[in-house]
Amino acid sequence: MILAIPPTFAGAIDYYPQMPILRAQLTQRFPMGYAVKVHATYRKPFWRHLTTKYPHTPNGLSGIVLSKNGPVTLGFDNSPGGANATTGVLLGFVFANNGRVWGSKPAATRRAEVLAQFARWFGPRAAHPIQYMEQDWAAQRWTRGYIGYPTTRTWIDYQRAFTSNIGRIFLAGTETAGEGSGGMEGALDAAARAVKEL
C-alpha cells in the first residue's frame, strides 16, 4: 500500500502491528498549516493588458503578487487556457495567523477585503468579479489545513522515519518529498519515490 496522506492523519490510523515509535512520533510533529485559497473570476484577464509605468511589463501585468500586507500575501493569474485565456481568474492565498484572523470574519467582510486588495493591485475592475469563491483548507474534514509543516528539528531527529517503509506500507505525500515538499511537484516526487521503492 502507498500511503499518501498528511503525516498527522497517517498517525491517526490504527495499525497492526503498531507503527514504529519513530514514525509515530514523527506524525505528531507535523501540524497542518492554515491557508485559505480565494478565486475571483472575470470575463477576461484584463490585467494582462494594463498599461504600466514599469519597463519590464510592456504587455501588462502577470498577475503574480507577493505582499507583506494581507489578507492575501501570495497571488497568481490562474486563468484557464494559458496565454489564450478568455476568462480571467485571480487566485490568492491567505496564510497562517493572518488567515486565522481573517477567516474568523463574516463572509461578506472577507470578500470585501480580498477584492479591495485585488483592486489596489490591478485597478478598480478587480473589485467586481463575476464570481468569487473561497476554499478554507482547515475546514475540510480530510485535510484540516494546508500542507503539514515540520516543527523544529523534525527533519534532523526523524529523518530515517520520514520515508522508510513500514512493512508493506510505503510512504508518499508531498510532505515526504526530497524536492518541492509542500506543493504538487513534491507530491509527484514522493509518489515516484514510493513506486520505485515498492
Side-chain angles (χ1 to χ4, degrees), residues 15-141:
Y15 296 85
Y16 182 82
Q18 191 171 340
M19 182 188 295
I21 189 64
L22 288 181
R23 179 65 187 177
Q25 289 201 335
L26 171 70
T27 65
Q28 297 167 23
R29 288 162 172 78
F30 257 86
M32 298 301 286
Y34 191 98
V36 179
K37 185 185 283 189
V38 297
H39 289 90
T41 304
Y42 304 89
R43 298 206 183 281
K44 61 182 181 176
F46 63 86
W47 52 91
R48 296 180 182 179
H49 309 289
L50 292 175
T51 303
T52 72
K53 61 182 178 182
Y54 305 105
H56 60 280
T57 58
N59 299 317
L61 300 176
S62 68
I64 300 171
V65 179
L66 288 171
S67 175
K68 66 178 183 173
N69 300 314
V72 177
T73 54
L74 177 62
F76 298 97
D77 179 337
N78 199 38
S79 305
N84 300 316
T86 55
T87 301
V89 179
L90 290 174
L91 175 149
F93 285 100
V94 185
F95 291 122
N97 193 53
N98 183 36
R100 287 185 285 274
V101 171
W102 173 85
S104 67
K105 296 178 180 180
T109 302
R110 294 193 310 265
R111 182 182 194 277
E113 288 182 3
V114 166
L115 295 179
Q117 189 171 17
F118 284 179
R120 285 193 302 276
W121 294 339
F122 303 108
R125 290 172 69 183
H128 305 287
I130 56 175
Q131 186 177 24
Y132 172 85
M133 296 183 304
E134 295 177 1
Q135 175 65 52
D136 185 344
W137 293 103
Q140 298 303 303
R141 180 179 181 191

Side-chain angles (χ1 to χ4, degrees), residues 144-167:
R144 303 306 291 172
Y146 189 80
I147 305 168
Y149 61 93
T151 57
T152 305
R153 290 193 54 89
T154 299
W155 289 107
I156 297 166
D157 296 343
Y158 296 90
Q159 186 175 16
R160 289 189 60 226
F162 209 72
T163 57
S164 57
N165 61 300
I166 304 165

